[in-house]
Amino acid sequence: MAKLIFGFIAAFLLSALPGRRLIAHLRALQIGQNISEDAPYTHTKKQGTPTMGGLLIHFGLTLVMLAYIGFFQWDMHRHLIGDLKLLPLLLLTLAFGAIGFLDDYLSLKRGKNLGLRAREKFLAQCLVAALFVLWLALSSPPGITLVNIAPVQLGSYSPIALYGFYYLFCLLLIVGFSNATNFADGLDGLSAGLNLITALALAVLVFSTEPNVAFFCIALAGSLAGFLWWNAHPARVFMGDTASLAIGAGLAGAAIMGKQEVGFLVASLVCWAELVSVVIQVLVFKYRRRRRGLYYAKTHRVFLRTPLHHHFEELGWPETQVVLRFWLAGLVCAALALLWRY
């Protein structure tokens, strides 16, 4: 437990303390957010706010994880005393961060909120996720493809064997949640707060069976808390895709390695709702445009605006109210996940 507490505090400080200097540096380089035309009008005042602040999250997480691997997974004679499964998990997170960094860079270079094309980003995400899943398939013990879908309260362990489909499920979980956290990154503090809650819940879920994975979750939570110091309303910096894609991939990878896939899905329902709202909006719009014409499709949308948090802004909720209520919903989902497990 002491390691977890120390890891959280260390990650928090390593993310929070360099924030002022990084923000000043981003401003000097004129690295500012280009607000999407699809965002509510009230968001135009955020134009130019420094972005790519997710580098703070990567900095805190990476240093703490490397220190943990170096000090606690090797003995004094540099003999491996644990496993190095945390290293592929960290590399998965950083690789998705690299995809997001490239997306942010291209967006800034082009002067619009247009980075990588959706197809390019999706293919890059699938490639990295596939490499992680391949490592998982080659290094995991028998039984990895079993998924328990029944709550502990039912009094029995009810695993379902997905066989080869499990690896496809893992790939979709990583890529899907990476995009879910990306869509949730639209209001000051929203994504950082939601994923902080999810990371803490996941740490509790996996601690009894995979304490090393729990440490990763705690370190990520600490890094998110440190970033939130600067990202809370009114945000002085945005994380950008540099972190929003990485956070989702890292948490999904941790859930897979900790064999808490279902509990993770429950704990992260708010982020999934953000993703599903976009999918529904796009599919219904295309269907209605084809059947009834463009004007009808534009005037008969399922949501006023997507992702879901923008829908509530259009209903008149202040930004801070949307964020707080989504955090509360995230806490309820985390509590349900813990109830499912314990």
Side-chain angles (χ1 to χ4, degrees), residues 6 12 24 50 66 88 94 113 121 149 161 187 195 199 204 211 214 219 226 228 264 287 304 325 333 341-342:
F6 176 79
F12 171 80
L66 291 179
L94 294 177
N113 193 35
K121 186 188 299 186
I149 63 170
L187 301 179
N195 288 293
V204 176
L228 190 57
F264 168 69
Y287 173 78
L304 297 177
R325 287 179 173 174
C333 293
R341 176 67 175 83
Y342 295 100

Side-chain angles (χ1 to χ4, degrees), residues 7 12 148 164 175 200 216 255 285:
F12 171 80
N148 185 37
V175 175
L200 291 175
F216 173 87
F285 177 84

